[in-house]
Amino acid sequence: MAPTLVWLRQDLRLDDNPALKAAQQRKQPVIPVYILDPDSEGDWAPASASRYWLHQSLRALDEQLQTCGSRLILRQGDSLAELQQLAKQTGAEAVYWNRRYEPAVVKRDATIKQQLLDQDIDAQSFNGALLHEPPQTKNKQGKPFRVFTPFWKHCRSLGEPEPPVAGVRKLAAPDKWPDAVTLEKLALEPAIDWAGGIAASWEFGAKAAEKALDDFLAEGLNGYPTQRDFPGKQGVSVLSPRLHFGELSPRQIWQRVREFDAGQGRVSETTAAEKFLRQLGWREFGHHLLYHFPHTTDKPLNETYADFPWRKNAKALRAWQRGRTGYPIVDAGMRQLWHTGYMHNRVRMVVASFLVKDLLIHWRDGACWFWDTLVDADLANNTLGWQWAAGCGADAAPYFRIFNPVLQSQRFDADGAYIRRWVPELAELNNKAIHEPWQADSSILKAANVKLGDNYPQPIVDHKQARQDALAALKTITGKR
Ligand code: FAD
């Protein structure tokens, strides 16, 4: 019996996995495959923190597949060559996968599909990652949306997303499994163990993802609208790495949230559920933009910004990366990122604004650092977030919106709980001084054991002056601003 290869990528789950389900329904043996092929992903192959997560998630998926009488075949190398070789070795007549939307991957996958079809292999792809795919989301003029609100209104007008497809619990195994490399051979985990903080912060794989969703529904969803902006509180779902690696699909989340909301007898458009689902809409918007404007991973969507006078400042970039800017909220965010591979959304906006507007360092430098350090590094969302912060993307912050890191800190971390957690050298400061220690009396600093310029840095820029510089820099490209 000719088996079906299921090429798994960012869909590391058995539930709502359309490619896996379709393979199962062919009633032939199924061979689940993961191919590590960073060369075909250009500049945006999974980087350090993502590779660590990927290792754990692949292990978890293999364990789950084994409970279905199957296993995960790991390979390394050129995706097309590996698939062709696998098809030859196993006699597979079909290769199924779920679609991805990153520019280099879209191109690669189109070539692979054509080549396989040319060899009479039934190559089929499915939607397992989005609520509505890019071709469905164009405006009345047939053009891609560039502003979120009409985009989301359009998506909502398409009706409820398709429900998740049924999970896979049993898979027919081939008579003989093809060659595979071991997970260790993929060398996804770092040679030097810097990932202890990530290991301690997360549980990995689809089962852990479902538990994280259960916990959020039980404890977080109702408070989401009022708590989501406060990094010191448990106000957000923290599902982003699960979504990126496809341990959970957006359709699964959508359905669970809807059921939960209906169970509480609330289905109006203003409920916490609707607010949360709207955030999935931002994820959709990011994918939509990346698909339609593939150049935006490197270049601004708003071309006016192509000549923006960015500064090269390796020292300041390093201080930002290491959480040593002297602005406590920025440093707390950058240290949370370094330690756990995650940063709260409000703080992502603050640190991104600080890099591009206070330090005038190119947003791509920020995007690259996030790419390396985030466990949820996602080309669509990261590009959207950075272009938004720099003011050069779709639906971007207006040019005059330059986040004041002290005001943001006072507003969203008023009691300093978040700063105290991630910048322990400031933990003893009172709620006023903790947001701007350089303004505090020396006696207050002394009592809290803070020695500015010694155990905590002086601010590396003066925000007021930096704001003027940013506005002046913007004037050079817009003329009139
Ligand atoms: P929740 O608030 O619980 O939201 C649920 C889900 O909705 C998230 O998991 C995410 O998939 C989606 N979502 C929420 N907010 C956004 C948003 N603003 N844009 C797109 N999708 C969103 N998100 C990533 O997943 N990967 C990235 O690489 C990434 N880089 C970012 C870079 C910058 C500069 C900024 C400002 C934002 C970035 N984001 C990124 C978006 C956002 O910060 C994260 O999705 C969010 O913090 C994840 O936490 P959560 O799962 O608790 O979010």
Side-chain angles (χ1 to χ4, degrees), residues 113-170:
K113 194 173 209 173
Q114 196 52 55
Q115 296 264 353
L116 294 175
L117 289 171
D118 288 349
Q119 290 167 20
D120 283 335
I121 293 177
D122 171 24
Q124 288 191 44
S125 66
F126 301 81
N127 171 25
L130 292 178
L131 301 168
H132 305 286
E133 287 193 289
Q136 289 173 277
T137 48
K138 295 242 181 94
N139 67 18
K140 282 194 185 118
Q141 290 75 45
K143 297 213 168 109
F145 289 94
R146 292 169 73 118
V147 176
F148 175 73
T149 303
F151 167 80
W152 190 233
K153 213 169 149 198
H154 172 75
C155 291
R156 300 300 281 111
S157 76
L158 298 173
E160 289 289 289
E162 293 282 319
V165 302
V168 165
R169 295 292 173 268
K170 182 107 200 84

Side-chain angles (χ1 to χ4, degrees), residues 224 236-240 243 276 279-280 282-283 342-343 345 348-349 352 370 374 376-378 381-382 384-386:
Y224 186 76
V236 289
S237 70
V238 204
L239 290 173
S240 47
L243 277 160
F276 176 68
Q279 292 312 117
L280 291 184
W282 277 100
R283 176 179 179 274
Y342 175 87
M343 192 195 302
N345 180 59
R348 291 189 205 205
M349 294 195 285
F370 270 30
L374 277 172
D376 65 21
D378 181 279
N381 289 356
N382 202 35
L384 172 73
W386 278 99

Side-chain angles (χ1 to χ4, degrees), residues 177-220:
W177 287 100
D179 301 340
V181 297
T182 62
L183 186 54
E184 284 61 38
K185 180 86 198 315
L186 296 184
L188 293 166
E189 287 192 308
I192 304 164
D193 185 15
W194 48 256
I198 299 180
S201 308
W202 302 91
E203 285 177 26
F204 307 89
K207 278 202 176 137
E210 271 167 43
K211 184 175 178 306
L213 176 58
D214 287 345
D215 292 349
F216 175 66
L217 291 176
E219 290 157 27

Side-chain angles (χ1 to χ4, degrees), residues 102-397:
E102 299 91 332
V105 175
V106 168
K107 230 170 156 177
R108 177 196 74 188
D109 291 355
T111 310
I112 290 179
K113 194 173 209 173
Q114 196 52 55
Q115 296 264 353
L116 294 175
L117 289 171
D118 288 349
Q119 290 167 20
D120 283 335
I121 293 177
D122 171 24
Q124 288 191 44
S125 66
F126 301 81
N127 171 25
L130 292 178
L131 301 168
H132 305 286
E133 287 193 289
Q136 289 173 277
T137 48
K138 295 242 181 94
N139 67 18
K140 282 194 185 118
Q141 290 75 45
K143 297 213 168 109
F145 289 94
R146 292 169 73 118
V147 176
F148 175 73
T149 303
F151 167 80
W152 190 233
K153 213 169 149 198
H154 172 75
C155 291
R156 300 300 281 111
S157 76
L158 298 173
E160 289 289 289
E162 293 282 319
V165 302
V168 165
R169 295 292 173 268
K170 182 107 200 84
L171 283 171
D175 294 337
K176 187 171 178 293
W177 287 100
D179 301 340
V181 297
T182 62
L183 186 54
E184 284 61 38
K185 180 86 198 315
L186 296 184
L188 293 166
E189 287 192 308
I192 304 164
D193 185 15
W194 48 256
I198 299 180
S201 308
W202 302 91
E203 285 177 26
F204 307 89
K207 278 202 176 137
E210 271 167 43
K211 184 175 178 306
L213 176 58
D214 287 345
D215 292 349
F216 175 66
L217 291 176
E219 290 157 27
L221 181 61
N222 282 333
Y224 186 76
T226 53
Q227 307 290 300
R228 61 178 291 260
D229 259 323
F230 298 94
K233 304 196 164 138
Q234 307 264 323
V236 289
S237 70
V238 204
L239 290 173
S240 47
R242 323 309 189 160
L243 277 160
H244 173 74
F245 288 98
E247 295 174 352
L248 265 183
S249 77
R251 291 193 297 229
Q252 285 175 285
I253 298 179
W254 189 280
Q255 187 184 55
R256 291 289 315 281
V257 168
R258 277 271 181 261
E259 285 167 2
F260 178 84
D261 199 37
Q264 299 197 109
R266 299 195 317 206
V267 283
S268 87
E269 294 244 320
T270 53
T271 60
E274 201 63 37
K275 287 238 156 51
F276 176 68
L277 295 176
R278 189 179 164 86
Q279 292 312 117
L280 291 184
W282 277 100
R283 176 179 179 274
E284 297 275 311
F285 188 48
H287 283 76
H288 162 93
L289 289 172
L290 184 63
Y291 182 82
H292 290 295
F293 306 102
H295 63 282
T296 54
T297 53
D298 300 291
K299 298 201 172 75
L301 182 66
N302 178 347
E303 283 167 13
T304 315
Y305 279 75
D307 296 325
F308 189 85
W310 299 110
R311 289 180 187 164
K312 287 257 174 249
N313 186 340
K315 202 170 155 207
L317 178 61
R318 193 81 188 141
W320 177 82
Q321 290 171 338
R322 292 289 172 207
R324 299 204 47 86
T325 66
Y327 283 87
I329 190 74
V330 175
D331 295 341
M334 298 309 292
R335 294 186 199 185
Q336 182 188 21
L337 173 62
W338 182 251
H339 189 74
T340 67
Y342 175 87
M343 192 195 302
H344 187 278
N345 180 59
R346 167 61 48 183
V347 193
R348 291 189 205 205
M349 294 195 285
V350 173
V351 304
S353 175
F354 188 82
L355 186 79
V356 297
K357 298 206 168 143
D358 286 62
L359 301 179
L360 292 176
I361 290 177
H362 202 302
W363 60 268
R364 203 175 180 279
D365 287 332
C368 286
W369 182 252
F370 270 30
W371 188 255
D372 198 32
T373 51
L374 277 172
V375 288
D376 65 21
D378 181 279
L379 197 53
N381 289 356
N382 202 35
T383 305
L384 172 73
W386 278 99
Q387 292 229 7
W388 180 88
C392 59
D395 214 5

